[in-house]
Amino acid sequence: MGEIIEKYIGINMEKYENEFNYLLNRFEKASNYKEQSEWFRKINDQRFIFETTYNYVRLQHFRDMNDGMFKEEFSILSKIEPRYQTLVGQYYNSILNATYRNYLEEQWGKQIFQLAELKHDTYSKAIEDDLKKESQLIMEYHALLGEAVISFSNKELSLSTITPYLNSSDKLTRKKAHEAKYKFFKDNESQFDEILHELVCTRNKIATKLGYSSFIQLGYKRMNRTGHTSSDLSIYRNQVKNYGVPFVSKLRESQKNRIGVEKLKYYDEGYLFENGSRTITDSHQDVLNHYRKFLTEQSPETKAFYNELIANNLMDLSSRTNKMGGNFATYISYNKHPYLFANLQGTANDVRILTHETGHAFQFTMSRHWNIPEYIIPYDSAEIFSFGMERLAWPWFESFFGEDSKRYQYEQLITPFMYMPFASAVDEFEHYLYDHPDVSVNQRKTKWRELEHKYLPERDYDGNEFLESGTKFYEIGHLFTTPFYFMDYDLAHFCAVQLWKNNQESPKETWVNYLEMCRNGGKLPFNDLIKQAHISSPFEANSLKPVLSYIEEWIDQTESYIK
């Protein structure tokens, strides 16, 4: 939708560093609480100058990967980002030793200080060159994906534009589309292997320099996890293995019968109905009109949020050549405007993407009043807000889908559960990568295949030797860019399903609880945040089983409507 109303001004890093250090000095020398609190606010204003500039440049680069100016600017900012992180590290050290820390915690919350304690241990000058290398490797991964050209059906497609063919109602088309997609990964196998290997080695080197026995501890701190540990994740993965895998096996059996195949193949996994996922027949503008209806009717807060998006051209939703694949929300400009970036394909999944990214952007908007970057994007709980918004949008599905709304509800509810074991496989794989940084490339692939057998016993690659060799993880961006984040999607889904359940029983109270979570944003750690909304923790033993029982009951009542 239109161009962003924004005049790009680059960052003079020397000048920026001088200004940042001046503010830090004034903060440290403050003579009273009010003065120190005011300098605290100004330092975070200074942080947002870099953060919003970086977000804007990355966004513009992703909107057109061939735009030479923003490609170069993004490269420049990525290279100087470690210098910014050095400043942030100094800021963390200053606030931890603040003269009036107790008063600051009362005004701004304790979480920023807990995060500072974590982050204080994630950086030193000794790792600056290693961070630059890590950033460069991530850029190489993005570039490799973003510049992908896939030849299919006499067309040159990207990883985004081939998506509709992957779930075609024609089985042969599905199969050939998947083969074409993974041919790209096969043709670039050595590059993916090398990038991941270098990332693992670089991150392990960083962790060692900082005094950690492995990158796992450092990775958790990078994810701002102040409330749960690797042991907690192990408890949850065991529940998934014991209860989630059998539950998903039943869903896959129903899917197999529904689409009329003897055995599900890997290219059938996303094909849930005999006539395929519903293609939205409405125009792009009609979909946006339904989106407007949803947000303007849901609450005064979502209405104001929508008006801000429209007034400032804060959406780019169409898929096109040279645009980076994927979907995300970010914030830009001095006003910390939310922004939605998506690649809509004209399928039912567009509604999920819209509501999901809206949940992120809405939470950014509701928590920006804290004026603290860590509170706007709360790494350990960010996906609760997105999955939560997906579920709270259910009353408006009829606007999007009419008589097919029940089928879409069914599809939207079961799809994340089908990926629940996959998330556990990814999480366990990540722990393996950094517990064993010295293993060979082939050993990593063997481990991935072993985890697929453990968590995804129905997966059948139909003789595709490349995928059988354990390479499907190449497309999991989080493995390369943000290790240990992927599991947050499933943890958030666990919480969102409980929000959905509560919304069936008490919609007004549930919305108030959700809104309060959004206002807090990252001010509270994961467990405190969900407790406030009356949501059970996934780290409690046997917490998954009753949730699955409730879902199974709903599915049994609903399947007769959608067959």
Side-chain angles (χ1 to χ4, degrees):
M1 285 188 64
E3 289 299 314
I4 309 169
I5 301 175
E6 180 96 6
K7 183 178 180 180
Y8 173 65
I9 301 174
I11 289 180
N12 180 322
M13 200 58 188
E14 287 74 18
K15 181 180 178 183
Y16 181 86
E17 286 171 326
N18 289 336
E19 292 172 347
F20 201 107
N21 286 322
Y22 169 78
L23 295 172
L24 275 181
N25 183 261
R26 296 301 300 267
F27 172 83
E28 291 168 357
K29 293 182 177 179
S31 58
N32 58 64
Y33 151 64
K34 287 186 178 180
E35 184 182 338
Q36 192 161 63
S37 181
E38 179 61 17
W39 288 114
F40 178 87
R41 183 188 64 76
K42 289 181 178 180
I43 292 170
N44 279 298
D45 283 341
Q46 184 74 1
R47 290 182 65 196
F48 277 115
I49 291 173
F50 187 92
E51 302 253 348
T52 55
T53 299
Y54 183 90
N55 289 348
Y56 176 76
V57 170
R58 184 185 68 152
L59 174 66
Q60 292 292 62
H61 173 51
F62 284 1
R63 292 180 76 206
D64 184 355
M65 299 289 285
N66 285 344
D67 185 309
M69 172 189 165
F70 282 106
K71 183 176 183 178
E72 177 64 20
E73 287 297 315
F74 184 56
S75 177
I76 291 170
L77 282 175
S78 296
K79 289 174 182 176
I80 65 174
E81 186 187 17
R83 292 169 63 180
Y84 168 69
Q85 294 302 334
T86 298
L87 296 172
V88 175
Q90 294 170 359
Y91 155 77
Y92 287 145
N93 187 60
S94 292
I95 68 172
L96 288 175
N97 294 288
T99 306
Y100 304 100
R101 175 173 168 174
N102 290 340
Y103 296 99
L104 293 173
E105 287 184 353
E106 287 182 15
Q107 180 174 355
W108 301 100
K110 292 184 177 181
Q111 180 72 346
I112 182 59
F113 296 90
Q114 292 175 329
L115 293 172
E117 289 172 357
L118 287 183
K119 295 296 188 180
H120 184 260
D121 298 328
T122 66
Y123 181 81
S124 78
K125 191 74 174 175
I127 66 169
E128 189 166 303
D129 288 341
D130 300 306
L131 291 176
K132 289 179 182 177
K133 182 176 181 180
E134 181 185 18
S135 179
Q136 184 61 37
L137 288 165
I138 291 171
M139 284 184 63
E140 289 177 18
Y141 177 75
H142 279 311
L144 191 56
L145 295 181
E147 296 167 7
V149 177
I150 300 169
S151 298
F152 179 75
S153 189
N154 298 317
K155 297 177 182 177
E156 299 292 299
L157 303 173
S158 68
L159 287 168
S160 292
T161 54
I162 198 173
T163 300
Y165 301 100
L166 297 175
N167 293 316
S168 168
S169 58
D170 179 71
K171 183 174 183 176
L172 185 59
T173 300
R174 290 200 303 275
K175 180 179 180 179
K176 289 187 175 297
H178 277 80
E179 289 172 345
K181 173 186 173 181
Y182 289 109
K183 183 181 184 300
F184 160 74
F185 286 98
K186 183 178 181 179
D187 290 344
N188 293 278
E189 182 175 6
S190 61
Q191 289 177 265
F192 284 110
D193 284 337
E194 183 178 352
I195 291 172
L196 183 60
H197 179 74
E198 287 297 313
L199 280 168
V200 170
C201 291
T202 301
R203 287 166 179 157
N204 184 60
K205 184 178 179 182
I206 290 171
T208 300
K209 285 184 177 181
L210 292 174
Y212 297 99
S213 59
S214 83
F215 177 75
I216 294 173
Q217 298 158 295
L218 176 59
Y220 272 50
K221 289 186 177 183
R222 283 185 172 188
M223 290 296 101
N224 293 351
R225 288 180 176 170
T226 60
H228 52 283
T229 66
S230 58
S231 296
D232 291 322
L233 270 295
S234 181
I235 289 172
Y236 181 69
R237 289 198 307 268
N238 285 336
Q239 292 188 77
V240 171
K241 179 65 177 72
N242 294 331
Y243 306 117
V245 171
F247 175 77
V248 172
S249 292
K250 292 181 181 177
L251 294 180
R252 290 297 186 192
E253 182 67 20
S254 295
Q255 177 191 5
K256 184 194 75 168
N257 295 333
R258 200 163 52 242
I259 67 174
V261 296
E262 290 187 15
K263 194 175 191 306
L264 283 176
K265 304 297 183 181
Y266 75 102
Y267 45 79
D268 296 322
E269 289 181 5
Y271 185 69
L272 298 180
F273 297 95
E274 187 177 9
N275 55 349
S277 295
R278 184 184 186 276
T279 299
I280 297 176
T281 55
D282 291 340
S283 68
H284 184 72
Q285 187 56 50
D286 286 336
V287 171
L288 293 181
N289 289 340
H290 300 323
Y291 179 64
R292 179 190 64 206
K293 175 179 171 64
F294 152 55
L295 288 177
T296 56
E297 290 181 359
Q298 188 178 56
S299 74
E301 294 83 6
T302 53
K303 182 178 181 179
F305 164 79
Y306 175 79
N307 289 338
E308 182 177 348
L309 292 180
I310 296 302
N312 297 283
N313 296 319
L314 298 170
M315 295 187 283
D316 183 348
L317 305 177
S318 59
S319 180
R320 58 184 179 271
T321 305
N322 300 327
K323 181 180 177 182
M324 181 70 179
N327 314 282
F328 64 86
T330 188
Y331 61 90
I332 58 174
S333 86
Y334 177 80
N335 294 316
K336 305 182 227 8
H337 285 309
Y339 193 96
L340 298 181
F341 176 98
N343 283 274
L344 303 187
Q345 303 292 336
T347 68
N349 192 48
D350 289 354
V351 177
R352 185 198 65 79
I353 290 169
L354 269 177
T355 53
H356 183 96
E357 300 307 335
T358 293
H360 283 306
F362 179 69
Q363 178 262 305
F364 298 164
T365 305
M366 296 308 296
S367 58
R368 66 187 170 190
H369 64 94
W370 289 111
N371 203 53
I372 298 174
E374 292 84 354
Y375 288 4
I376 294 184
I377 300 185
Y379 269 88
D380 68 338
S381 58
E383 299 302 332
I384 295 176
F385 306 103
S386 51
F387 278 100
M389 186 65 85
E390 286 185 44
R391 300 297 174 266
L392 296 176
W394 274 39
W396 287 270
F397 280 179
E398 192 168 336
S399 296
F400 289 98
F401 300 108
E403 61 183 17
D404 281 345
S405 60
K406 182 65 72 175
R407 196 183 88 163
Y408 180 73
Q409 288 175 341
Y410 174 87
E411 182 177 348
Q412 193 209 46
L413 190 65
I414 68 168
T415 299
F417 280 110
M418 287 179 159
Y419 285 97
M420 173 177 59
F422 180 70
S424 285
V426 172
D427 191 63
E428 190 167 332
F429 184 58
E430 287 178 310
H431 284 79
Y432 170 81
L433 287 178
Y434 296 105
D435 260 337
H436 305 87
D438 299 323
V439 301
S440 69
V441 167
N442 286 335
Q443 284 174 306
R444 290 186 185 124
K445 293 175 181 177
T446 298
K447 183 63 178 182
W448 173 253
R449 198 67 186 102
E450 174 190 316
L451 291 171
E452 284 186 312
H453 288 305
K454 177 179 178 179
Y455 289 104
L456 308 163
E458 294 86 12
R459 176 158 287 177
D460 183 343
Y461 284 125
D462 197 26
N464 187 313
E465 293 181 2
F466 173 67
L467 295 175
E468 286 281 7
S469 69
T471 54
K472 200 172 190 300
F473 64 82
Y474 290 167
E475 64 184 320
I476 306 169
H478 295 78
L479 280 174
F480 294 80
T481 63
T482 46
F484 302 111
Y485 188 94
F486 196 84
M487 184 56 132
D488 285 359
Y489 289 108
D490 192 43
L491 299 177
H493 175 245
F494 173 87
C495 297
V497 167
Q498 294 180 70
L499 273 176
W500 166 77
K501 177 179 177 293
N502 296 342
N503 199 47
Q504 311 302 303
E505 300 161 356
S506 181
K508 289 184 179 180
E509 181 182 348
T510 302
W511 175 254
V512 168
N513 289 336
Y514 177 78
L515 191 59
E516 187 61 23
M517 283 202 302
C518 289
R519 285 174 173 147
N520 277 309
K523 183 173 178 284
L524 296 177
F526 181 90
N527 283 325
D528 291 352
L529 191 73
I530 63 175
K531 184 177 181 181
Q532 181 188 72
H534 308 292
I535 294 171
S536 299
S537 169
F539 310 126
E540 297 172 5
N542 297 318
S543 57
L544 180 60
K545 189 175 181 180
V547 172
L548 294 180
S549 296
Y550 184 88
I551 297 299
E552 198 161 24
E553 183 179 331
W554 185 90
I555 288 173
D556 290 342
Q557 295 173 354
T558 306
E559 280 192 325
S560 60
Y561 290 98
I562 52 92
K563 287 182 179 178

